[in-house]
Amino acid sequence: MNRTVVITGATSGIGRAAAREFAGRGDRLVLAARSPATLAEVRDECRAAGADVLVVPVDVTAPGALAALADAAEAEFGAIDAWVHTAAVMTYGRFDETPAEVFDQVIRTDLLAAAEVARVALGRFRAASAGTLVLTGSVLGHITAPYMSGYVAAKWGLQGLTRTLQQEARETPGVRICLVNPGSVDTPVYRQAGNYLGRVGRPPPPITTPERVARAMADCVDRPRREVSVGRLNVVMRFGFTVLPGVYDALVGPLMRLAGLTDRPVAPHPGIVFAPNPAGEAVRGGWLPDVSRVVRSVGGVTAAAGSALLRRLR
């Protein structure tokens, strides 16, 4: 397709899956994230798929970093056709027990950096009268859950910001803004999250794959849509939150402790809120079974059972 696509947050989870997805579609890629070593790994993966790739180590919260990223992209490939923003951090803990500087940095990364991405990208798109911005929201931009106050506040803010930008974009034909809202996704972000709750977090079921979210993002660039929900229970949760708020609030705490937290204890720490952890970066978080291994296991059991049955029949 020969489009130029910028991906911020490209070294792990949804962002890394998106890099692979766009590489497979023949796009030119500008990949940005905090870890130079992991960026090099993702670059090699995408080049192996046949993509032209530029990597730019970037902290999305650093002043001027995103404008410099856009300049580098344009210098290498010309005009930017699409910008996919996936960079995000998370922390677990009661609001009053989470250090203020950690909470503030979650807001800075998940909301204010997304706003700066929009500011930079839309300026370039307006000048070219073309371009698609894809932002990564969450079902938690429509509902709430305890122990994740910073992330929830940021995603609610991003929901409002995106809706406003979409209204303003009606005045700029050719410029499209999309919001992709995943539910639980099998990424490393839960283990990489800051934690002041004492128990490691996990994605509550049902869990989808980052590859599915990446496909939704690529589809938005192909055929822009205002908002896309990825997750089987997203609509159900939003209905309960809106129509049955008392019931929802009574159930969400126990369900979060049961399905959203593991039993593994953990000492207080900021996770990757302030700095990356390259050792923990990957597409998948290991929360879903390895399907190929399951298939092989089932195949082996089936073959063994078939052999045993044949022996009995002889």
Side-chain angles (χ1 to χ4, degrees), residues 92-276:
Y92 290 94
R94 288 177 54 92
F95 171 74
D96 57 328
E97 295 176 353
T98 300
E101 63 272 17
V102 174
F103 179 91
D104 292 352
Q105 185 66 12
V106 172
I107 299 295
R108 192 172 293 116
T109 303
D110 295 358
L111 177 57
L112 298 183
E116 183 63 13
V117 163
R119 184 176 293 112
V120 171
L122 294 178
R124 311 293 169 120
F125 294 164
R126 280 198 302 272
S129 298
T132 302
L133 173 62
V134 181
L135 298 170
T136 308
S138 170
V139 68
L140 289 175
H142 289 285
I143 65 173
T144 59
Y147 317 128
M148 302 177 71
S149 55
Y151 188 81
V152 170
K155 293 303 182 181
W156 275 70
L158 183 60
Q159 182 74 32
L161 173 64
T162 303
R163 184 67 178 270
T164 302
L165 296 178
Q166 289 170 338
Q167 293 165 351
E168 294 175 356
R170 295 174 67 87
E171 303 169 5
T172 53
V175 177
R176 303 296 183 89
I177 301 164
C178 311
L179 184 67
V180 176
N181 288 326
S184 293
V185 185
D186 180 22
T187 75
V189 70
Y190 305 91
R191 291 194 180 95
Q192 298 270 71
N195 200 301
Y196 300 89
L197 195 60
R199 293 167 59 185
V200 175
R202 65 183 175 193
I207 305 170
T208 194
T209 66
E211 290 86 356
R212 183 183 173 198
V213 183
R215 287 193 297 272
M217 291 174 161
D219 289 344
C220 278
V221 175
D222 292 341
R223 296 174 296 279
R225 297 168 60 188
R226 291 170 58 86
E227 185 172 339
V228 178
S229 179
V230 184
R232 284 177 290 171
L233 288 186
N234 289 9
V235 173
V236 175
M237 290 187 289
R238 290 176 61 176
F239 177 85
F241 181 83
T242 304
V243 178
L244 301 169
V247 174
Y248 180 94
D249 287 354
L251 293 177
V252 68
L255 288 174
M256 179 67 179
R257 290 188 289 273
L258 175 67
L261 300 170
T262 71
D263 293 327
R264 185 154 63 89
V266 61
H269 67 90
I272 62 166
V273 171
F274 296 104

Side-chain angles (χ1 to χ4, degrees), residues 20-54:
R20 293 178 176 180
E21 179 69 27
F22 282 103
R25 296 186 180 212
D27 293 313
R28 296 181 295 264
L29 301 179
V30 181
L31 307 179
R34 293 181 294 181
S35 172
T38 315
L39 271 176
E41 293 176 9
V42 183
R43 175 199 62 202
D44 293 345
E45 294 170 0
C46 294
R47 283 181 176 171
D52 291 331
V53 184
L54 171 69

